[in-house]
Amino acid sequence: MNRIIPIETKVKVMQESLCLSDVEALAACYGVSVGVIYYWFNQKVKPALGEILKNDAPGPKPHSDPKAEIVQAIAERPASCEQCGGGHIWKNGSYWVINWVWLLTIGWLVGMKKALIQRWRCADCGYELVSLERQRQAEARQAWWQQVKRLVGLSRFRLGLSVRRTQILVAFVYSRQVSVGYIQRLTQGIGRRAQAVLERLSTCRQKVACFLLYDETFPKLGRRFYSLGVVICEYGLIRSVRTIRRKAKDIPAQLRQVVGAYYHPEYFLTDLEITYSEYLARAGLCLQHLRDIVHLMRQIGRMFDDAVREVTLDVPKRLPQPDRQRQRHLKQRLLRKRLRPILRTAFKAFAPGYESVCLLMLEGVAVQLRDPQLILQTESVQRLARRMQRFVKKHGPAINVLLEMSAQAGTPKTTNSLESKNALFKPFSKIAKSFRLATAEHFFAGVALMENFDVKSRGLHQGTSAMQRAAIDLDDLGSTDFFSAVGLNMPQISPTTFTL
Ligand SMILES: [Zn+2]
């Protein structure tokens, strides 16, 4: 007979057959209270009856604990205690950890796995022995974090990825998430160290650099208004990056800081911003102030444009407005045509090969402008001639030095190399927007340091980095690349760790 008896029936039957007879006598015999026997029966036995009486599912019993088997497999009992030399080593439990060795090596393929660590303890002195597995996992763990830190550094300071995107990248490559806060703190830490490295540049032995190129860039930094002051030398090495909020104080401080034992430039090359020479003086530096020729040429072009724009009419006042306008346009066109060859001469003066005669040509331009045979001496032309004369007087000597140096020593005539560095910071400003002032400065310092070590794969400086061109002594600096400079060396790992 294979009748299926419902579980309710079974429970009822058992409850009635387990009637509590002679409870008092049993309690007295065993020295327990009557109450506790009723408690056991009502609270423990009765509720458990259903569970006990139900039929087990058919089929083999589930497999025994897989952990136990692995423990057996990895349990190589150490021969003796390292502390007291005793030979009695006992197992002292086991625990699971992330399998860092796997995560480090093939984590991208297998995802996160666990590894079991057997704890061993000396029976004589109680010392806990470090198993080989524990050692391997600890080493791999350290290496994994180190490599993740390096990846975060690359992502933030080279690729310019946001915190969230960095997080995605790390999870993709190393199959484990790191937190937003961790990436932010790490970024700040790296930036701070990068700033310290930039500050050390002038104390390292290096090739003599004569130029200090200075410019400010205005990355889009949200509502907070500040600029970024950048110093490079003629080798294109970024020597300083500072957030500038109060120009009159911050710029002199930056200039003073960047000059040091092995970097004392002679020339200060900037655009035409007039306050720079004052800041230079305030920094206590005696450098000859030179101006970027692109800006100088632009300035000349502007003066000529002004002359055309400021053309005045000497026609009777009663002439109707449209006619006056037409007359004026005509006159402007005429003047522009007259001025064109003269302007061309002025620009030609800056062309390569004309370095020695540049100033003479500019003076010639001023003279031509005053020649009534050549050009009608209207009011705006006379003003242009005066401005040109002043320009030559003001910038002439500096232009001579700049062009002579550039012809002889190949030093820069423009701040173009600096402006290209500024362009480098632009994409990063989106990230820096949310930073506080000091943090933003550190962040840009990190970007600058990365750029300094970057070996160019194309262009004018192909195959070299700015550090190499400026011949910075890397022993003095104490690091050979960006990562070692900010304390993120390649992880070191012993060969035994790699056996999976
Ligand atoms: Zn021991």
Side-chain angles (χ1 to χ4, degrees), residues 81-86 122-127:
C81 171
E82 334 167 345
Q83 202 71 356
C84 70
C122 172
D124 302 328
C125 72
Y127 175 75

